[in-house]
């Protein structure tokens, strides 16, 4: 089926991110889960963000993009929060991008110097009252991308948790995460590869 590059959020490659990747594998996809933190995970978002700052956000994104560019063949790029940066950049700029799935974050398409590619479908998922997403930046960026994309969908779930889809965190919302996952599986089934 589809080759997927999945980038973790600021708390690291947690058991919840791995579980999500395993769900996509069970649906028949090949899922790559690079660990940008080299085994480090964090109990809080603030601690993870502090670690990312020490490494450098630019450095992390460059490393992640390099990993994505090293893939042979076409791919769908998925990012959770911090991982949205490289996922979105690769989806917008790499030849062979089959799609993008952006979870709990979105950057303006102008960040990567180009319009959203017409042939790259996109899904964006977030909680409607997440202060990290409904912040005057991410939500308008998501709305603009969905409007511009030939095939684009924005799903806002009831609640205010940022990392609602990571089953290993206290912010996990099983109902929203389950619905998100079923929508993502359907999205992946619809992609021509």
């Amino acid at each position: 089926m589809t080759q997927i590059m999945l980038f973790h959020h600021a708390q690291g490659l947690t058991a919840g991110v791995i579980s999500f990747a395993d769900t996509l594998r069970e649906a028949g996809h090949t899922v790559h889960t690079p660990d940008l933190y080299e085994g480090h995970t964090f109990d809080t978002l603030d601690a993870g963000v502090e670690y990312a700052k020490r490494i450098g956000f630019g450095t992390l994104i460059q490393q992640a993009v390099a990993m994505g560019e090293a893939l042979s063949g076409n791919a769908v790029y998925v990012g959770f929060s911090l991982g949205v940066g490289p996922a979105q950049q690769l989806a917008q700029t790499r030849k062979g991008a089959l799609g993008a799935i952006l979870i709990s974050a979105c950057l303006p398409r102008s960040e990567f110097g180009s319009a959203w590619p017409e042939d790259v479908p996109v899904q964006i998922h977030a909680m409607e009252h997440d202060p990290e997403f409904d912040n005057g930046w991410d939500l308008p960026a998501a709305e603009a991308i969905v409007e511009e994309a030939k095939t684009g969908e924005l799903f806002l779930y009831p609640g205010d948790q940022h990392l609602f889809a990571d089953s290993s965190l206290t912010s996990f919302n099983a109902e929203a995460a389950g619905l998100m996952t079923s929508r993502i599986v359907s999205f992946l089934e619809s992609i021509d590869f």
Side-chain angles (χ1 to χ4, degrees):
M1 291 213 117
T2 306
Q3 177 173 229
I4 297 166
M5 179 68 91
L6 170 61
F7 297 105
H8 63 75
H9 51 69
Q11 287 180 244
L13 186 59
T14 61
V17 173
I18 293 168
S19 176
F20 176 75
D22 287 342
T23 298
L24 300 182
R25 290 180 182 113
E26 289 166 12
H29 305 289
T30 300
V31 184
H32 307 277
T33 54
D35 186 350
L36 303 176
Y37 284 5
E38 299 178 340
H40 298 285
T41 58
F42 298 90
D43 292 334
T44 67
L45 185 59
D46 288 344
V49 168
E50 274 306 309
Y51 183 76
K53 284 180 183 176
R54 284 198 306 272
I55 295 171
F57 289 112
T59 299
L60 286 171
I61 289 175
Q62 285 176 340
Q63 290 171 349
V65 168
M67 292 173 187
E69 289 175 343
L71 281 180
S72 60
N74 300 339
V76 172
Y77 300 98
V78 181
F80 278 84
S81 190
L82 176 73
V84 161
Q88 187 174 332
Q89 182 174 345
L90 287 160
Q92 282 190 241
T93 63
R94 185 175 187 257
K95 185 177 178 181
L98 296 175
I101 300 166
L102 312 177
I103 303 167
S104 298
C106 189
L107 298 169
R109 61 194 183 285
S110 60
E111 284 289 306
F112 306 111
S114 63
W116 192 264
E118 184 177 312
D119 59 342
V120 177
V122 58
Q123 271 193 353
I124 304 169
H125 301 266
M127 284 201 148
E128 60 187 342
H129 299 298
D130 168 13
E132 300 293 327
F133 188 81
D134 187 13
N135 56 10
W137 173 267
D138 292 65
L139 179 57
E143 291 169 337
I145 287 172
V146 166
E147 185 175 317
E148 184 175 321
K150 183 177 177 183
T151 304
E153 297 173 292
L154 171 61
F155 297 105
L156 297 175
Y157 303 91
D160 63 0
Q161 296 300 306
H162 184 55
L163 299 176
F164 72 96
D166 185 323
S167 61
S168 65
L169 302 178
T170 58
S171 56
F172 179 63
N173 181 298
E175 184 176 350
L179 182 54
M180 180 198 81
T181 302
S182 68
R183 287 171 168 163
I184 289 171
V185 169
S186 295
F187 174 79
L188 292 170
E189 287 172 355
S190 73
I191 290 176
D192 276 337
F193 55 94

